[in-house]
Amino acid sequence: MPTADYQRIAEDLRRRLAEGEWSPGERLPPRAQLAHEYRTSPAAIQRGQELLIDTGLLEGRKSVGVFVRAPEARIALPVLLPIPDAIRQAGLVPAIEYRSDVKVPAPEPIARRLSVDIDTLCVRTRYEYLGNARPLALGESWEPMALTHRTPVLLPEDGPLAGTGVARRMASVGVRVGHAQLRTHARHPDDHEALRLGITRRTLIIRLDRTHLTDTGQPVETATFLLPQTRWELVYDVPIPASEPLGDGHRPRGADGHAAESRAIRQDGTPRRR
């Protein structure tokens, strides 16, 4: 089977990268220039570059160009740790770009997650998380507006408790957050998400859905985070209940309630009592 033009270009660009023609962080020539060099179309150059973006050799930057990606480890994200803290722990300088809107009607999926009626008015905040000025993750948070209406903590990233987290803001209005539920799955980004994250639509992203609930199980906030799997890994720290060591009088019991006996199996497959 003949090699497609964009595959040939991807392989040659891979070779040139391996030979050090462009250094990590350096911008590649414009697509029109590369198209002239390879005697092909800019579309074929774009598809070839996208193959290398998918493998982590290149990265696209919105409205800027395509750059050689510096080798880097994935950022570890304990699932309840704020994303900026994880970015900081990875040795990067975190930053957040956000926008909050009030009186936004809850669409059906959000209403279901918040256990409210469809079109219930909410505060919606959209986030772009950056490390060293590069986009690393996207987020979107929803809160029923009735919980914080006419209070100083209406907006998550503005006011006296800006950026302190859901639990502390809710506590300031008498709502105690008891726990959070997390769900994850992988999918491909849409065109808008891929553009904002500087990835292609073929790059897998981790979708992390997080909902904060009161002690009685009432949701007070739900958020979705989009994390490119080439840049992130989730970490689950699960507590294990303590157990007392078994003494001689507490041997394991069998299904009939009697003390269980240790058994070995003979070579012929028949049990042998010890």
Side-chain angles (χ1 to χ4, degrees):
M1 180 181 296
T3 302
D5 208 22
Y6 71 92
Q7 293 174 320
R8 174 183 63 83
I9 292 165
E11 286 305 310
D12 195 60
L13 289 175
R14 189 191 306 271
R15 174 189 62 78
R16 295 169 71 176
L17 289 167
E19 293 174 354
E21 183 170 340
W22 299 292
S23 303
E26 185 177 350
R27 179 183 173 182
L28 266 63
R31 285 176 184 152
Q33 179 179 330
L34 289 173
H36 178 75
E37 179 181 341
Y38 283 102
R39 298 183 180 180
T40 187
S41 67
I45 296 295
Q46 179 176 345
R47 289 196 65 185
Q49 289 177 337
E50 287 175 347
L51 290 179
L52 301 186
I53 291 173
D54 289 341
T55 60
L57 291 175
L58 299 177
E59 64 176 346
R61 299 183 189 173
K62 183 173 58 178
S63 304
V64 179
V66 177
F67 291 76
V68 181
R69 186 178 178 189
E72 57 185 19
R74 291 179 179 176
I75 300 172
L77 176 63
V79 290
L80 291 179
L81 184 72
I83 289 177
D85 290 350
I87 294 173
R88 185 179 296 107
Q89 290 181 6
L92 305 175
V93 178
I96 301 176
E97 295 181 358
Y98 66 89
R99 173 177 172 170
S100 291
D101 296 291
V102 300
K103 297 183 179 181
V104 181
E108 191 276 332
I110 297 299
R112 185 173 63 251
R113 287 164 60 176
L114 288 173
S115 297
V116 297
D117 294 333
I118 296 174
D119 292 335
T120 294
L121 297 183
C122 294
V123 178
R124 181 189 65 197
T125 304
R126 289 174 169 165
Y127 295 90
E128 184 171 309
Y129 299 94
L130 303 100
N132 291 355
R134 292 175 50 221
L136 295 176
L138 304 176
E140 183 173 280
S141 168
W142 292 77
E143 298 177 1
M145 192 171 166
L147 293 174
T148 55
H149 188 47
R150 299 185 186 278
T151 74
V153 297
L154 173 65
L155 303 178
E157 303 299 331
D158 294 289
L161 297 180
T164 59
V166 175
R168 186 173 178 187
R169 288 178 47 251
M170 291 298 169
S172 73
V173 294
V175 178
R176 175 181 166 81
V177 175
H179 63 286
Q181 291 180 348
L182 302 165
R183 291 180 172 86
T184 62
H185 70 269
R187 66 170 175 83
H188 294 282
D190 61 27
D191 288 333
H192 179 65
E193 294 163 348
L195 179 64
R196 293 179 66 192
L197 289 167
I199 58 178
T200 72
R201 289 200 60 182
R202 291 186 296 273
T203 303
L204 279 176
I205 56 175
I206 305 166
R207 171 173 166 163
L208 172 63
D209 292 336
R210 180 205 65 199
T211 301
H212 284 97
L213 303 99
T214 66
D215 289 331
T216 59
Q218 176 62 40
V220 298
E221 182 264 1
T222 192
T224 294
F225 303 97
L226 303 180
L227 311 161
Q229 61 87 23
T230 54
R231 300 174 186 170
W232 294 89
E233 61 181 4
L234 299 184
V235 179
Y236 295 84
D237 187 1
V238 182
I240 304 299
S243 59
E244 297 295 329
L246 297 176
D248 292 340
H250 297 82
R251 294 180 60 191
R253 299 281 169 175
D256 59 0
H258 293 89
E261 293 183 338
S262 167
R263 292 189 170 194
I265 304 297
R266 300 179 188 273
Q267 292 277 341
D268 60 5
T270 58
R272 173 169 57 83
R273 293 184 182 277
R274 289 180 176 172

